[in-house]
């Protein structure tokens, strides 16, 4: 069996070129192993080998991200790797960010598995743990001896196409991907056991660590409403009658764009809600209750607002993931901007 | 308050000439039962079918699941304020037919009725696949409004459970379990060294098809209050809601609440389980603030050292859950919260709609967005007509061969937030 091919990425320091004074060197690629690659190679034994090593200065990379990424990807391509390893970067912040950035770029563009190693507090770990597997290492190169077997073990698993286990089992920093499993005990018993430990001051492990919440600061107020183009956007599921695009009643995978230029008032005859998380009766009798087209038309006539934008965007908020919601909004926000909309009224349910 | 719960274990259910239990087999006179539970002017027809564990049967859309129980001694009757007078229940003796449930099904009410598969991969996700189910299919008259429809089917379910439950009255139970909670001051005197533990039981009350009733009162209209745990075993709390099937509490769950059961296991040994604080999940901010203020106030007033808080539903009630947790922790009382997750089909999104650092002890009952393929079944009770539009379904959920690809959200009880099931989720 031929050995799997690995390309390794390290910075100027681990390549033995120099410290901070050499951090501005441009990327280069060398055949075979350099620096820590030797130990990784030895640990992967007969199954895989590092065929080339990319070396780049941390300052250069972080100050010229786009150029550095493009150049390095070109370099790597020629070696046809089965796996890309970046680092380990331990607690070196800029090195960690470089490892994460190039790792994600390689994964996205070359579609091969990617692995890095970092200390949990390395800023690169938090930035990239969702995108790539990052083995948790100690905070300095003194812990290399522990990092190498952990990283090579996960590397071999990835190369063999084996299923990656839990963060604890495979020593990587949790990517925050939630997956179901059947536990030994039912939830109520686990809750009682957890409470007893918490009361006694014993160590316990929460089953869902609270995330850092993404709070959105409101924009400054609109200066002159009488000249503004206003759009209506809703997560309340208002759609043309019979839900032509089949937006789901829960966990929506899409949003709809519908023309309201011909409507002064939404009625039971022409619109309804697709939302499955609230009682639909009142929204169906008068869809303006959720998407207030009638009132906006009045304001338009009175001159209180400039105009009502001709489309509305709509989805179902019920059980819909934050990632989907963000993607929908990022998409239609572009259209709103391109069409010169000044402000948006977001209605929920 | 002391309740003896007598359990009669049923190992098969069959139709027969007389409704009775013989050698662990429940026989049902179908015509008599339909006669007894029928008569609602809003209901056009009632049919009863049986579904057994391991059978290739799919039941959908499922509204409620109810365990047949009967009051044998002590004040009141089962489902006080609903079927019986509003006497305070929870003392004396109650008999339950175990391994059996009434399941209400039929034309869908809202978007949020569920699926119970009696075998296959889906069966692993619903606790109700392990029961002999007496499925009551009640179809409404044409043009019936959803509220009347919901109320009618709800009542038929309780009547059916009471009809079956009453035959348990004169049967010698296979097992009797005793649950006892003393008045607060007495229990503190009795267990001076044990930590005082409460259970904050959040009830789904988002309104209009999302309601729960306590002694017949719509729980939207209550302020948080105290119950003896045994009151709940006699049907003091019942489900009247159509929230997503995976994490609503069917009446069966209220009767058999796992947190109450597991707290009682430690009662008098490691903890002093002093009682249940029920609270609601209303949609107005003032209601959320008031109710969470009051749960925290009551926890403090009772001198609790720790509480478990369970949620029902998701999204909007996540804010009630976090408010309860935060405010109770701020009183210096340790909390564990029990919830489920909506982390997206890929599991990569935030799981809850609200978060707080004080919520450092969380039990999760799984990610409801995870998808599953349910293979076709030989027999269908109800209809799969609504599978694409129920919560957890999507366009194309029902495939031409009869298999169904849905989020586990659509499976009744899959991620139950009283921790009745073993499903959980972890970060990868």
């Amino acid at each position: 069996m031929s050995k799997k091919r690995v390309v390794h990425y390290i910075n100027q320091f681990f390549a033995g070129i120099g410290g901070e004074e050499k951090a501005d060197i441009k990327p280069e690629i060398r055949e075979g192993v350099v620096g820590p690659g030797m130990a990784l190679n030895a640990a992967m034994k007969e199954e895989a080998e590092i065929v080339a090593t990319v070396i780049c200065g941390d300052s250069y990379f972080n100050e010229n991200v786009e150029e550095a990424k493009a150049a390095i990807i070109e370099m790597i391509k020629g070696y046809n790797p089965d796996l890309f390893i970046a680092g380990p970067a331990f607690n070196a912040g800029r090195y960690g960010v470089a490892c994460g950035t190039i790792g994600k770029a390689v994964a996205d563009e070359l579609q091969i598995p990617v692995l890095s190693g970092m200390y949990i507090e390395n800023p690169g770990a938090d930035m990239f743990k969702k995108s790539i597997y990052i083995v948790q290492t100690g905070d300095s190169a003194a812990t290399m001896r522990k990092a190498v077997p952990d990283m090579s073990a996960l590397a071999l698993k990835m190369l063999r196409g084996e299923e990656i286990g839990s963060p604890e089992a495979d020593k990587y920093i949790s990517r925050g991907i939630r997956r179901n499993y059947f536990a030994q005990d039912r939830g109520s018993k686990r809750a009682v056991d957890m409470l007893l430990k918490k009361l006694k001051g014993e160590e316990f492990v929460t089953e869902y660590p609270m995330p850092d919440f993404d709070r959105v600061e409101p924009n400054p107020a609109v200066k002159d409403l009488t000249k503004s183009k206003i759009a209506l956007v809703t997560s309340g599921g208002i759609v043309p009658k019979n839900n032509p695009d089949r937006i789901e009643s829960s966990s929506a995978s899409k949003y709809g764009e519908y023309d309201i230029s011909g409507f002064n008032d939404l009625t039971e005859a022409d619109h309804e809600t697709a939302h499955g998380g609230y009682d639909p009766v009142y929204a169906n009798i008068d869809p303006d209750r959720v998407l207030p087209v009638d009132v906006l038309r009045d304001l338009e006539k009175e001159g209180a607002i400039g105009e009502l934008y001709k489309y509305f965007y709509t989805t179902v908020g019920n059980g819909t993931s934050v990632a989907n919601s963000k993607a929908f909004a990022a998409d239609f926000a572009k259209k709103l901007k391109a069409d010169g909309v000044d402000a948006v009224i977001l209605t929920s349910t | 308050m002391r309740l003896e719960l007598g359990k009669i274990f049923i190992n098969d259910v069959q139709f027969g000439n007389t409704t009775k239990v013989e050698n662990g087999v429940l026989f049902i006179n179908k015509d008599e039962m339909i006669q007894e539970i029928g008569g609602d002017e809003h209901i056009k027809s009632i049919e009863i079918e049986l579904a057994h564990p391991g059978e290739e049967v799919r039941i959908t859309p499922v509204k409620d699941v109810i365990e047949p129980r009967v009051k044998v001694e002590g004040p009141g009757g089962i489902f006080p304020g609903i079927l019986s007078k509003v006497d305070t229940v929870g003392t004396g003796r109650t008999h339950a037919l175990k391994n059996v449930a009434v399941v209400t099904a039929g034309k869908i009410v809202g978007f949020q009725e569920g699926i119970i598969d009696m075998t296959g991969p889906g069966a692993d996700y619903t606790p109700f696949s392990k029961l002999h189910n007496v499925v009551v299919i009640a179809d409404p008259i044409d043009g019936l409004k959803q509220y009347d429809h919901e109320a009618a089917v709800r009542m038929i379910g309780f009547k059916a459970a009471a009809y079956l439950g009453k035959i348990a009255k004169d049967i010698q139970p296979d097992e009797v379990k005793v649950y006892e909670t003393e008045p607060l001051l007495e229990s503190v005197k009795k267990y001076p060294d044990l930590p005082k533990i409460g259970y904050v039981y959040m009830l789904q009350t988002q309104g209009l098809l999302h309601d729960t009733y306590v002694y017949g009162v719509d729980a939207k209209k209550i302020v948080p209050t105290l119950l003896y745990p045994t009151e709940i075993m006699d049907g003091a709390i019942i489900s009247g809601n159509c929230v997503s099937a995976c994490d609503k509490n069917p009446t069966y769950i209220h009767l058999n609440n796992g947190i109450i059961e597991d707290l009682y296991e430690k009662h008098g040994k490691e903890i002093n389980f002093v009682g249940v604080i029920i609270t609601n999940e209303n949609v107005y901010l003032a209601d959320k603030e008031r109710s969470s203020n009051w749960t925290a106030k009551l926890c403090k007033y009772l001198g609790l050292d720790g509480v478990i808080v369970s949620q029902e539903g998701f999204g909007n009630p996540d804010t009630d859950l976090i408010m309860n947790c935060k405010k109770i922790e701020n009183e210096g009382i340790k909390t564990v919260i029990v919830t489920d997750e909506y982390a997206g089909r890929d599991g990569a999104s935030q799981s809850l709609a609200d978060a707080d650092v004080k919520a450092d002890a969380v039990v999760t009952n799984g990610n409801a967005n995870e998808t599953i393929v349910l293979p076709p079944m030989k027999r269908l009770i109800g209809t799969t007509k609504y599978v694409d539009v129920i919560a957890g379904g999507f366009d194309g959920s029902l495939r031409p061969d009869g298999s169904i690809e849905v989020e586990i959200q659509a499976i009744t009880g899959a991620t139950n937030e009283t921790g009745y099931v073993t499903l959980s989720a972890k970060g990868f």
Side-chain angles (χ1 to χ4, degrees):
Chain A
M1 196 179 76
S2 65
K3 285 187 182 178
K4 296 277 188 177
R5 300 165 66 83
V6 178
V7 170
H8 189 206
Y9 175 93
I10 56 174
N11 71 355
Q12 81 287 346
F13 176 78
F14 283 95
I17 295 173
E20 192 57 34
E21 76 287 357
K22 294 286 182 190
D24 58 352
I25 62 158
K26 289 189 174 185
E28 58 166 304
I29 191 158
R30 297 186 195 169
E31 295 272 334
V33 293
V34 180
M38 246 178 308
L40 283 169
N41 229 9
M44 294 189 292
K45 296 196 183 115
E46 297 306 306
E47 281 190 63
E49 75 176 326
I50 293 173
V51 292
T53 305
V54 177
I55 301 158
C56 184
D58 289 335
S59 300
Y60 180 83
F61 189 96
N62 285 296
E63 284 158 23
N64 306 276
V65 175
E66 292 311 315
E67 290 99 316
K69 267 197 321 200
I72 292 169
I73 290 207
E74 271 315 304
M75 289 173 186
I76 300 170
K77 258 188 198 165
Y79 285 89
N80 247 334
D82 302 297
L83 176 76
F84 179 71
I85 300 178
F90 304 105
N91 200 21
R94 284 179 312 158
Y95 186 22
V97 173
C99 285
T101 309
I102 192 63
K104 181 177 185 314
V106 169
D108 289 348
E109 293 188 34
L110 303 185
Q111 300 283 319
I112 58 169
V114 166
L115 174 66
S116 186
M118 294 179 208
Y119 181 56
I120 184 93
E121 287 176 22
N122 189 315
D126 211 38
M127 287 166 70
F128 293 101
K129 66 184 179 191
K130 280 193 179 233
S131 314
I132 60 170
Y133 284 102
I134 302 174
V135 167
Q136 186 167 343
T137 70
D139 64 351
S140 78
T143 63
M144 182 71 87
R145 238 187 250 199
K146 163 110 179 47
V148 166
D150 289 350
M151 286 179 71
S152 54
L154 185 53
L156 289 176
K157 263 195 148 174
M158 292 171 115
L159 284 167
R160 291 178 199 137
E162 289 174 4
E163 198 179 328
I164 311 294
S166 68
E168 298 77 36
D170 282 327
K171 313 277 172 56
Y172 62 90
I173 298 171
S174 173
R175 305 172 68 199
I177 308 282
R178 304 295 294 174
R179 257 194 247 156
N180 288 342
Y181 74 104
F182 289 101
Q184 195 74 30
D185 294 320
R186 65 178 183 173
S188 53
K189 181 166 187 307
R190 302 201 306 277
V192 173
D193 292 345
M194 195 184 288
L195 183 64
L196 286 174
K197 283 187 179 166
K198 194 172 171 178
L199 282 167
K200 289 180 195 154
E202 291 171 6
E203 205 179 314
F204 62 89
V205 183
T206 182
E207 295 178 359
Y208 175 65
M210 285 286 135
D212 298 324
F213 228 63
D214 182 17
R215 308 263 176 205
V216 180
E217 286 295 317
N219 274 334
V222 176
K223 285 211 181 79
D224 186 359
L225 267 179
T226 63
K227 294 188 177 63
S228 298
K229 192 192 276 190
I230 310 289
L232 283 173
V233 174
T234 187
S235 60
I238 299 299
V239 289
K241 194 86 182 170
N242 300 322
N243 192 7
D245 295 312
R246 299 285 167 91
I247 296 176
E248 295 88 342
S249 66
S250 177
S251 308
S253 67
K254 54 196 152 192
Y255 70 89
E257 175 193 78
Y258 304 109
D259 194 335
I260 39 169
S261 52
F263 290 95
N264 288 322
D265 181 21
L266 306 184
T267 69
E268 211 167 355
D270 44 70
H271 287 79
E272 65 184 14
T273 182
H275 201 291
Y278 67 95
D279 168 26
V281 170
Y282 297 109
N284 285 341
I285 293 172
D286 184 359
D288 292 300
R289 287 176 171 143
V290 177
L291 195 82
V293 172
D294 55 351
V295 175
L296 268 293
R297 287 286 179 229
D298 288 349
L299 292 172
E300 200 176 33
K301 260 182 239 145
E302 291 163 15
I305 63 165
E307 63 173 299
L308 176 61
Y309 181 54
K310 65 175 175 175
Y311 298 111
F312 74 95
Y313 295 97
T314 179
T315 191
V316 164
N318 185 30
T320 298
S321 71
V322 175
N324 275 3
S325 306
K326 270 190 176 173
F328 301 160
D331 201 37
F332 62 67
K334 277 190 219 146
K335 303 184 197 179
L336 292 167
K337 257 197 125 149
D339 280 355
V341 170
D342 299 296
V344 173
I345 296 175
L346 283 171
T347 63
S348 65
T349 46
Chain B
M1 206 173 253
R2 183 178 186 276
L3 181 73
E4 293 175 5
L5 184 65
K7 301 177 182 181
I8 296 142
F9 295 106
I10 300 296
N11 47 47
D12 195 15
V13 179
Q14 298 172 17
F15 290 120
N17 293 328
T18 317
T19 300
K20 61 179 177 187
V21 174
E22 217 170 71
N23 299 322
V25 180
L26 169 65
F27 293 93
I28 299 172
N29 178 330
K30 188 157 100 171
D31 294 337
E32 184 187 274
M33 181 166 168
I34 291 175
Q35 190 65 30
E36 185 107 351
I37 65 179
D40 189 308
E41 59 182 7
H42 295 131
I43 297 299
K44 189 163 61 181
S45 66
I46 295 178
E47 188 44 52
I48 298 173
E49 291 196 45
L50 304 176
H52 305 282
E55 264 189 321
E56 272 203 62
V57 177
R58 169 165 299 141
I59 315 168
T60 188
V62 170
K63 190 177 173 296
D64 199 6
V65 184
I66 310 152
E67 186 174 76
R69 291 193 174 194
V70 66
K71 209 67 209 140
V72 179
E73 287 165 28
I78 218 80
F79 304 127
I82 302 284
L83 283 191
S84 307
K85 290 188 174 175
V86 288
D87 300 277
T88 300
V89 290
T91 42
R93 184 163 178 148
T94 298
H95 284 177
L97 293 180
K98 300 307 287 185
N99 308 330
V100 179
V102 168
V103 172
T104 46
K107 186 175 181 281
I108 197 159
V109 178
F111 284 111
Q112 301 186 318
E113 283 106 311
I115 300 170
I116 296 175
D117 277 2
M118 298 304 288
T119 189
D124 294 339
Y125 285 84
T126 173
F128 308 115
S129 63
K130 288 94 191 162
L131 306 177
H132 295 276
N133 291 315
V134 180
V135 188
V136 177
I137 306 122
D139 275 324
I141 53 167
D142 295 335
L144 184 65
K145 283 287 177 201
Q146 281 165 310
Y147 315 123
D148 296 329
H149 182 187
E150 191 280 324
V153 180
R154 190 197 325 143
M155 284 308 291
I156 286 168
F158 299 139
K159 282 184 189 166
Y163 168 79
L164 296 177
K166 75 181 179 201
I167 57 169
K169 194 161 185 169
D170 301 319
I171 300 174
Q172 189 62 34
D174 301 299
E175 183 189 305
V176 177
K177 200 153 180 191
V178 179
Y179 301 92
E180 185 166 16
T181 299
E182 280 109 350
L184 183 65
L185 296 183
E186 285 171 35
S187 82
V188 171
K189 209 182 281 175
K190 191 168 173 186
Y191 308 113
D193 301 324
L194 296 181
K196 296 181 288 298
I197 305 300
Y199 170 31
V200 172
Y201 198 177
M202 293 172 55
L203 307 176
Q204 176 55 254
T205 57
Q206 285 180 265
L208 303 170
L209 304 178
H210 292 57
D211 290 311
T212 302
Y213 300 84
V214 180
Y215 280 96
V217 178
D218 181 346
K220 270 202 300 295
K221 295 171 184 162
I222 64 163
V223 286
T225 188
L226 269 173
L227 256 62
Y228 283 98
T230 50
E231 293 178 72
I232 298 163
M233 297 176 182
D234 276 345
I237 301 174
I238 58 109
S239 166
N241 72 56
C242 305
V243 177
S244 286
C246 67
D247 57 11
K248 74 171 180 181
N249 293 330
T251 302
Y252 186 97
I253 295 286
H254 289 303
L255 292 167
N256 289 284
N257 184 297
I259 292 172
I260 291 176
E261 187 81 24
D262 290 336
L263 283 172
Y264 263 129
E265 282 297 311
K266 308 270 182 191
H267 178 58
K269 299 171 213 155
E270 291 178 66
I271 59 168
N272 178 8
F273 176 29
V274 301
V276 180
I277 297 167
I278 53 164
T279 184
N280 50 20
E281 303 175 347
N282 291 10
V283 289
Y284 290 102
L285 184 60
D287 289 342
K288 289 177 185 298
E289 292 285 7
R290 182 190 312 108
S291 288
S292 55
N293 290 344
W294 277 53
T295 57
K297 179 183 74 175
L298 288 171
C299 288
K300 176 80 178 167
Y301 188 44
L302 294 174
L304 299 181
D305 299 299
V307 296
I308 294 175
V309 186
S310 73
Q311 187 186 0
E312 184 176 4
F314 64 96
N316 186 299
D318 292 347
T319 56
D320 300 274
L321 177 72
I322 296 297
M323 277 184 191
N324 280 322
C325 171
K326 201 163 59 178
K327 291 176 185 180
I328 296 168
E329 284 276 345
N330 283 344
E331 295 291 351
I333 299 161
K334 299 209 160 49
T335 62
V336 169
I337 62 173
V338 188
T339 182
D340 66 350
E341 305 181 41
Y342 285 74
R345 287 177 197 163
D346 62 0
S349 275
Q350 277 164 198
S351 296
L352 297 177
D354 200 1
D356 193 88
V357 287
K358 299 259 183 191
D360 64 355
V362 184
V363 166
T364 172
N365 297 291
N367 174 19
N369 292 134
E370 215 168 90
T371 55
I372 187 171
V373 176
L374 305 173
M377 294 279 148
K378 279 194 185 135
R379 185 156 68 99
L380 175 68
I381 300 180
T383 169
T384 49
K385 204 161 81 183
Y386 309 104
V387 163
D388 284 9
V389 298
I390 55 172
F394 39 86
D395 195 21
S397 271
L398 180 62
R399 295 159 165 188
D401 68 351
S403 64
I404 294 173
E405 184 182 2
V406 281
E407 295 184 3
I408 60 168
Q409 190 184 165
I411 298 176
T412 303
T415 62
N416 179 270
E417 292 164 288
T418 62
Y420 194 77
V421 293
T422 61
L423 191 70
S424 185
K426 54 183 163 190
F428 277 77

